Amino acid sequence: MGKVYVFDHPLIQHKVALIRQTETTTRDFRRLVKEIAMLMGYEATRDLPLKDVEIETPICKTTVKMLQGEDIAIVPILRAGLGLVDGMLELIPNAKVGHVGLYRDPETHEPVEYYCKLPADIDKRQIFVVDPMLATGGSAIAAINFVKQRGGKHIIFMCMIAAPEGIEALQKAHPDVDIYIAAKDEKLNENAYIVPGLGDAGDRIFGTK
Ligand code: PRP
Ligand code: URA
């Protein structure tokens, strides 16, 4: 079963509290999402493998640790997942970025797929599938199915706010995927929105409502 890591760092908690607030503007919301992605990305990359490298400082030769490869792919789930990409790229500028396009049908809440474009060598990369929200889990499960169908193997799912229902569904569908979240909320409401949540993440990032 995939592990669930809840990032309870005070800075992350504070910023998540701010994005929940109705009065937070689109501009601030976007900036905060980027900052949260950076802070979460810092923690989520903790286990990346290192290798010994010989270098020369102005004083002497020495052996230091460097990342084994820059073989990382960030895969946002469109469209709200785009909000997390810039923060991750600040940390890992050489990462490749794939895109999976999904939206929830407003009636059935089932994910509807409309786009998928991933790096050709996705099978060799450590993949971070990112989306601000994990509600029913349908979108994350479908996105990870896409990634696996194209050869993706080492997958981490990272989101800001998750409902218990979504965590359970994702763990069941993809037991090999670890889940990194900033906050585990109470439940889903009758429209499958997270309670207390932050509303519609895509609309809040892009100012479409
Ligand atoms: C939101 C969110 C997730 C999905 C989560 O996207 O960004 O992708 O809902 O819900 P689920 O766990 O029940 O699938 P939405 O469908 O609103 O599309 P958008 O990003 O284009 O706004
Ligand atoms: N998608 C969102 O953007 N918010 C929710 O609460 C649930 C799904």
Side-chain angles (χ1 to χ4, degrees):
M1 185 67 73
K3 294 197 193 83
V4 181
Y5 298 92
V6 184
F7 293 149
D8 56 1
H9 191 287
L11 283 175
I12 297 178
Q13 292 305 303
H14 181 78
K15 289 173 196 294
V16 170
L18 290 174
I19 59 170
R20 289 182 188 278
Q21 291 178 290
T22 312
E23 62 266 31
T24 299
T25 62
T26 301
R27 183 177 171 221
D28 287 343
F29 192 93
R30 223 178 264 150
R31 178 181 52 80
L32 287 159
V33 168
K34 179 179 172 183
E35 290 170 3
I36 294 166
M38 274 181 81
L39 293 166
M40 291 187 75
Y42 176 76
E43 283 292 336
T45 48
R46 178 174 288 281
D47 292 329
L48 289 181
L50 294 169
K51 63 178 175 193
D52 288 333
V53 180
E54 293 263 342
I55 61 152
E56 205 167 333
T57 76
I59 308 298
C60 66
K61 286 191 174 165
T62 186
T63 305
V64 292
K65 302 275 183 203
M66 285 187 165
L67 286 174
Q68 238 178 53
E70 284 145 350
D71 306 335
I72 291 174
I74 302 164
V75 179
I77 303 178
L78 305 179
R79 84 198 136 129
L82 287 173
L84 298 163
V85 174
D86 281 357
M88 294 286 286
L89 285 177
E90 293 269 337
L91 295 178
I92 320 159
N94 284 330
K96 297 279 192 291
V97 181
H99 295 88
V100 175
L102 296 170
Y103 70 88
R104 292 201 317 176
D105 181 286
E107 301 295 325
T108 63
H109 310 134
E110 290 294 318
V112 181
E113 303 147 5
Y114 61 87
Y115 190 73
C116 184
K117 183 83 181 171
L118 300 174
D121 57 354
I122 194 76
D123 54 316
K124 296 185 190 71
R125 292 180 176 268
Q126 170 61 57
I127 303 159
F128 291 87
V129 175
V130 298
D131 192 320
M133 310 300 274
L134 179 65
T136 63
S139 304
I141 292 168
I144 294 170
N145 282 339
F146 263 148
V147 171
K148 285 186 175 174
Q149 280 158 18
R150 283 159 178 80
K153 291 184 189 72
H154 312 290
I155 304 169
I156 283 171
F157 180 76
M158 199 177 102
C159 73
M160 298 188 312
I161 299 184
E165 295 89 331
I167 294 174
E168 198 184 322
L170 180 53
Q171 281 186 308
K172 206 163 157 199
H174 294 292
D176 54 313
V177 172
D178 287 343
I179 304 171
Y180 292 80
I181 64 181
K184 182 174 174 181
D185 274 12
E186 217 178 287
K187 59 178 181 183
L188 296 176
N189 70 12
E190 60 286 2
N191 296 318
Y193 272 81
I194 300 175
V195 180
L198 51 70
D200 188 301
D203 283 340
R204 298 204 62 189
I205 290 173
F206 296 106
T208 39
K209 221 171 227 169

